[in-house]
């Protein structure tokens, strides 16, 4: 079975600092897509960033970037210049085939200290 | 934001009663999904649809059925609700023909089975 592991149930960071959330996965597939979703207290699932496994270049979206290490099956999310609005649950997810469903990790609760 | 609505947003029901949750989209996307979210489990796929009247099972499909008679609507039915089906249910859509494979989520439905 395909699995996604987020080993940090909770992380805390000072406002304006940088934090990295970890995600590892297990698959025998060579082609897949990786995502980070944010879930604030409103419960809405918000797509933060995506990475195609065939691309070597790490994805970046404003203050959010990923460190994708395909051989190590690792997909971490870096948040720079943390803001109070970044406080949320963050979920790592993987899509193994077109049309299929996402497999999610259990999430990391990110706390931003003012 | 993707045009996805879910109804009802909250529901309390008794064990043994049938329940139907509705997902409606205005994006004309081909793929639709139902997930459930429980503490400590992240989101898990229940069923998904890849076209009108085309559906398939996900990881946790036991006790659930789905139907899709129109592109815009995807219904999730609990034939006889049990307390273990108390959860938050999310619908998602995807236009995977665009090859971006991103999934966009509705606001969720909180279901309590007493």
């Amino acid at each position: 079975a395909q699995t996604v592991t987020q080993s940090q149930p909770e992380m805390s960071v000072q406002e304006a600092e940088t934090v990295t959330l970890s995600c590892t996965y297990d698959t025998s597939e060579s082609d897949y897509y990786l995502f980070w979703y944010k879930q604030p207290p409103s419960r809405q699932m918000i797509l933060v960033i995506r990475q195609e496994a065939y691309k070597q270049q790490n994805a970046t979206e404003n203050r959010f970037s990923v460190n994708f290490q395909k051989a190590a099956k690792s997909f971490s999310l870096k948040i720079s210049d943390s803001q109070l609005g970044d406080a949320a649950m963050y979920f790592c997810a993987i899509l193994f085939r077109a049309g299929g469903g996402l497999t999610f990790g259990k999430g990391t609760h990110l706390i931003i200290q003012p | 934001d993707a045009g996805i609505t879910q109804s009802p947003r909250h529901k309390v029901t008794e064990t043994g009663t049938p329940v139907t949750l509705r997902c409606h989209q205005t994006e004309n996307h081909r793929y639709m999904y139902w997930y459930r979210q429980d503490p400590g489990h992240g989101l898990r796929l229940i069923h998904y649809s890849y076209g009108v009247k085309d559906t398939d099972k996900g990881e946790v499909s036991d006790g659930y059925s789905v139907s899709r008679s129109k592109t815009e609507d995807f219904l999730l039915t609990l034939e006889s609700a049990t307390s273990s089906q108390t959860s938050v249910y999310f619908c998602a859509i995807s236009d995977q023909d665009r090859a971006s494979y991103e999934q966009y989520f509705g606001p969720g439905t909180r279901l309590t089975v007493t």
Side-chain angles (χ1 to χ4, degrees), chain B residues 18-21 34 46-48 55-57 60-68 74-80 85 89:
Chain B
V19 176
T20 296
L21 308 183
W34 279 108
I46 304 171
H47 282 279
Y48 67 99
T55 65
D56 204 351
K57 296 179 179 180
V60 291
S61 60
D62 287 349
Y64 302 94
S65 62
V66 291
S67 65
R68 191 170 178 198
F74 192 33
L75 304 181
L76 177 71
T77 297
L78 291 65
E79 301 291 347
S80 177
Q85 293 176 312
Y89 291 86

Side-chain angles (χ1 to χ4, degrees), chain A residues 1-106:
Chain A
Q2 326 282 17
T3 58
V4 177
T5 301
Q6 294 181 247
S7 59
Q8 306 151 316
E10 187 173 280
M11 293 281 286
S12 182
V13 65
Q14 291 291 128
E15 192 176 4
E17 294 188 347
T18 295
V19 63
T20 298
L21 308 184
S22 300
C23 174
T24 58
Y25 55 92
D26 183 25
T27 180
S28 58
E29 303 288 338
S30 60
D31 193 18
Y32 46 88
Y33 301 82
L34 296 158
F35 304 89
W36 279 98
Y37 281 88
K38 169 185 177 182
Q39 187 180 40
S42 67
R43 202 169 67 197
Q44 180 69 49
M45 293 290 289
I46 302 165
L47 178 64
V48 174
I49 198 166
R50 76 171 190 274
Q51 173 80 44
E52 292 87 346
Y54 63 85
K55 290 186 177 179
Q56 293 185 341
Q57 185 173 4
N58 289 323
T60 298
E61 290 285 344
N62 300 313
R63 298 183 294 108
F64 299 86
S65 61
V66 300
N67 183 7
F68 174 48
Q69 301 290 330
K70 190 172 184 179
K73 296 180 183 177
S74 172
F75 180 60
S76 61
L77 175 69
K78 185 173 80 171
I79 306 174
S80 304
D81 185 25
S82 298
Q83 301 176 359
L84 294 178
D86 295 334
M89 285 292 293
Y90 285 82
F91 293 95
C92 177
I94 189 167
L95 179 68
F96 292 104
R97 62 178 180 84
L102 293 165
T103 299
F104 283 86
K106 294 183 178 182

Side-chain angles (χ1 to χ4, degrees), chain B residues 71-100:
Chain B
T71 298
E72 58 266 35
D73 290 326
F74 192 33
L75 304 181
L76 177 71
T77 297
L78 291 65
E79 301 291 347
S80 177
T82 67
S83 59
S84 65
Q85 293 176 312
T86 292
S87 188
V88 178
Y89 291 86
F90 285 95
C91 174
I93 65 173
S94 178
D95 184 12
Q96 303 207 3
D97 292 338
R98 290 181 57 209
S100 63

